[in-house]
Amino acid sequence: MRLCLRCGAGFTGDTWRCSQCGFEPQVLGGFPAFAPELAHAEEGYDPAHFSALAELESRNFWFRARNRLIIWALGRFFPGARRFLEVGCGTGYVLSGIAAAFPALEIAGSEVAAEGLNFAARRVPAARLVQMDARRIPFRGEFDVAGAFDVIEHIEDDRAVLRALREALVPGGGLLLTVPQHPFLWSEYDVHARHVRRYEAAELRAKLVEAGFEIVKMTSFVTLLLPLMTASRLSQQKTQAGYDPLAELRIAPALNWVLEKILDIERLLIRTGIPLPAGGSLLVAARKLQ
């Protein structure tokens, strides 16, 4: 159900006009905007990076490997899904991968920064896209699966996001998350990425349970590259003038290929159920409790 954030009534028909209170969201760049006051804010992410990311994502080993892991998890843990929502879809890179892997899936995406939605619309023309605050999702019981991929670490009140995601799901619906892991890896990269935190597995598990989810699968990834990542991040723990947070995404093709193959091996380990207790990131599959 699409929900009016003003009065709580459900929208009817194909429009976003509430028949109860008359509320209708603004339209920004052709997209319904439920948090227009945040559409051009820079609190959680620098919108100037969207253009560079849109160019780099499809070639960079980390984004490519993460996409394959997400697609595997969606098919493995929620094979019967018909409707999927990605919160914080950015430039639509993950959405485009999911759309290609699951062509029958009805796909929706949201982004608080209006600049990202134009990129997402070009990548996934069939997706239903809205601008919104992840803490106030205008859907109730609408989606079989929702995903937020390296999103909630940008938001101070991550508990509110998890509660809102739960409400957007059908009973028993699924949730997929990826987040950065290990506070000891905190560096200038996290500052410029506008992260609020890096997670410990126990912290994220506790917050998910508190929000009304049961954990289906939790695993680290970027495990085999953790020594390399640790050395890189520890060298960045002091403030650096002229720091470029996208520099580490611009990797020589040969090295990029090698790193991607290492993460492909890691994904095979995850698929076989081998526990990976440490890694640069966490993947979680969870299910909404009735």
Side-chain angles (χ1 to χ4, degrees):
M1 179 178 70
R2 294 172 301 146
L3 187 75
C4 175
L5 295 178
R6 176 178 292 173
C7 73
F11 289 100
T12 58
D14 296 328
T15 73
W16 280 104
R17 181 176 177 81
C18 178
S19 60
Q20 297 295 314
C21 71
F23 169 76
E24 190 169 6
Q26 294 182 31
V27 175
L28 292 177
F31 306 104
F34 292 90
E37 70 282 3
L38 301 177
H40 303 290
E42 299 184 4
E43 179 180 340
Y45 190 77
D46 186 348
H49 289 161
F50 280 121
S51 179
L53 271 179
E55 180 183 351
L56 292 168
E57 286 167 318
S58 62
R59 299 195 304 268
N60 179 265
F61 78 95
W62 185 84
F63 287 101
R64 289 164 60 88
R66 186 188 64 164
N67 254 26
R68 293 189 188 110
L69 185 61
I70 291 167
I71 289 166
W72 166 77
L74 179 56
R76 171 66 178 82
F77 299 110
F78 310 113
R82 294 178 295 118
R83 296 182 303 276
F84 174 83
L85 168 68
E86 184 186 357
V87 172
C89 67
T91 67
Y93 181 63
V94 177
L95 274 183
S96 66
I98 289 174
F102 304 98
L105 196 63
E106 295 178 25
I107 290 178
S110 77
E111 176 58 52
V112 69
E115 291 85 352
L117 292 173
N118 290 314
F119 293 100
R122 289 195 289 271
R123 276 181 159 155
V124 197
R128 178 172 40 156
L129 300 173
V130 299
Q131 185 274 340
M132 73 176 193
D133 181 347
R135 297 165 297 186
R136 302 184 70 228
I137 299 176
F139 298 101
R140 292 293 181 274
E142 176 80 2
F143 298 99
D144 301 300
V145 182
F149 306 115
D150 291 85
V151 170
I152 66 172
E153 69 272 12
H154 294 270
I155 301 171
E156 186 70 45
D157 191 359
D158 55 350
R159 287 181 169 88
V161 179
L162 294 175
R163 290 193 299 268
L165 284 164
R166 183 186 184 280
E167 291 301 311
L169 292 169
V170 300
L175 176 67
L176 290 173
L177 296 176
T178 61
V179 297
Q181 187 177 210
H182 301 317
F184 74 82
L185 290 175
W186 185 271
S187 71
E188 193 74 0
Y189 176 85
D190 296 281
V191 174
H192 282 265
R194 301 185 182 174
H195 292 168
V196 176
R197 66 187 70 78
R198 298 186 70 92
Y199 286 87
E200 294 284 12
E203 174 193 2
L204 184 56
R205 182 184 295 274
K207 288 179 176 179
L208 283 163
V209 170
E210 178 187 304
F213 290 96
E214 63 174 343
I215 308 298
V216 177
K217 174 75 172 179
M218 176 178 281
T219 181
S220 299
F221 65 103
V222 196
T223 297
L224 299 180
L225 298 179
L226 184 58
L228 181 63
M229 183 178 181
T230 300
S232 172
R233 295 302 169 83
L234 290 179
S235 72
Q236 300 173 27
Q237 290 190 331
K238 293 183 180 179
T239 302
Q240 303 174 25
Y243 178 80
D244 179 5
L246 299 180
E248 67 180 48
L249 302 182
R250 303 184 182 99
I251 300 173
L255 177 59
N256 192 68
W257 183 88
V258 170
L259 296 176
E260 185 173 339
K261 294 307 174 185
I262 291 172
L263 292 187
D264 284 345
I265 293 170
E266 183 176 287
R267 188 174 68 260
L268 292 176
L269 299 178
I270 292 171
R271 291 178 64 172
T272 59
I274 295 174
L276 301 178
S281 296
L282 275 172
L283 167 74
V284 181
R287 194 175 296 278
K288 175 181 175 177
L289 291 171
Q290 303 291 334

